[in-house]
Coordinates of all heavy atoms in Angstrom, one line a residue:
K627 N 2.2 4.8 0.9 CA 2.2 5.5 2.2 C 1.6 7.0 2.0 O 1.8 7.6 1.0 CB 3.6 5.6 2.7 CG 4.2 4.2 3.1 CD 5.6 4.4 3.5 CE 6.2 3.0 3.9 NZ 7.5 3.1 4.4
P653 N 5.6 17.3 10.5 CA 5.3 18.7 10.4 C 6.4 19.5 9.7 O 7.6 19.2 9.8 CB 5.3 19.2 11.9 CG 5.1 17.9 12.7 CD 5.7 16.9 11.9
E675 N 0.7 24.6 0.3 CA 1.6 24.1 -0.7 C 3.1 24.1 -0.2 O 3.8 23.2 -0.5 CB 1.5 24.9 -2.0 CG 2.2 24.3 -3.2 CD 1.9 24.9 -4.5 OE1 1.0 25.8 -4.6 OE2 2.7 24.6 -5.5
H685 N 10.4 12.2 1.2 CA 9.4 11.1 1.2 C 9.0 10.7 -0.2 O 7.8 10.7 -0.5 CB 8.2 11.6 2.1 CG 8.6 11.9 3.5 ND1 8.9 10.9 4.4 CD2 8.9 13.0 4.1 CE1 9.2 11.4 5.5 NE2 9.2 12.7 5.4
L691 N 0.1 15.0 2.2 CA -1.1 15.8 2.4 C -0.7 16.9 3.4 O -0.3 16.7 4.5 CB -2.3 15.0 3.0 CG -3.5 15.7 3.5 CD1 -4.2 16.5 2.3 CD2 -4.5 14.8 4.2
D694 N -3.6 24.2 5.6 CA -3.4 25.3 6.5 C -4.9 26.0 6.6 O -5.6 26.0 5.7 CB -2.4 26.3 5.9 CG -2.0 27.3 7.0 OD1 -1.1 26.9 7.8 OD2 -2.5 28.4 7.1
G714 N -8.6 37.7 23.2 CA -9.8 38.5 23.5 C -10.1 39.5 22.4 O -11.2 39.7 22.0
V745 N -10.8 25.9 0.3 CA -12.2 25.7 0.7 C -12.5 26.9 1.6 O -11.8 27.3 2.5 CB -12.3 24.4 1.5 CG1 -13.7 24.2 2.0 CG2 -11.8 23.2 0.7
E746 N -13.7 27.5 1.3 CA -14.2 28.7 2.1 C -15.4 28.3 2.8 O -16.4 27.8 2.2 CB -14.4 29.8 1.1 CG -15.0 31.0 1.7 CD -15.3 32.1 0.8 OE1 -14.5 32.3 -0.2 OE2 -16.2 32.9 1.0
R752 N -22.6 35.0 17.1 CA -23.5 35.7 17.8 C -22.8 36.8 18.6 O -21.6 36.8 18.7 CB -24.3 34.9 18.8 CG -23.5 34.4 19.9 CD -24.5 33.6 21.0 NE -23.8 32.9 21.9 CZ -23.2 33.4 23.1 NH1 -23.2 34.6 23.3 NH2 -22.6 32.5 23.9
L754 N -21.2 38.6 21.8 CA -20.5 38.0 22.9 C -20.4 39.0 24.0 O -20.1 40.2 23.7 CB -19.1 37.5 22.6 CG -18.9 36.5 21.5 CD1 -17.5 36.2 21.3 CD2 -19.8 35.2 21.7
E767 N -9.0 27.1 25.4 CA -9.3 26.4 24.1 C -8.9 27.3 22.9 O -8.7 26.7 21.9 CB -10.8 26.2 24.0 CG -11.3 24.9 24.7 CD -12.7 24.6 24.3 OE1 -13.3 25.1 23.3 OE2 -13.3 23.7 25.1
A774 N -8.3 32.3 17.2 CA -8.5 32.1 18.6 C -9.7 31.4 19.1 O -10.3 31.5 20.1 CB -8.4 33.5 19.3
I788 N -23.5 28.8 9.9 CA -22.3 28.4 9.1 C -22.8 28.0 7.8 O -23.8 27.4 7.6 CB -21.6 27.2 9.8 CG1 -20.4 26.8 9.1 CG2 -22.5 26.1 10.1 CD1 -19.5 25.7 9.8
L810 N -6.1 11.4 -7.1 CA -4.7 11.1 -7.4 C -4.4 9.6 -7.3 O -3.2 9.2 -7.3 CB -3.8 12.0 -6.6 CG -3.8 13.5 -7.0 CD1 -3.1 14.3 -6.0 CD2 -3.2 13.6 -8.4

Side-chain angles (χ1 to χ4, degrees):
K627 295 179 179 180
E675 189 170 353
H685 300 281
L691 171 63
D694 196 80
V745 180
E746 178 183 324
R752 66 173 169 83
L754 304 177
E767 281 191 11
I788 179 172
L810 289 170

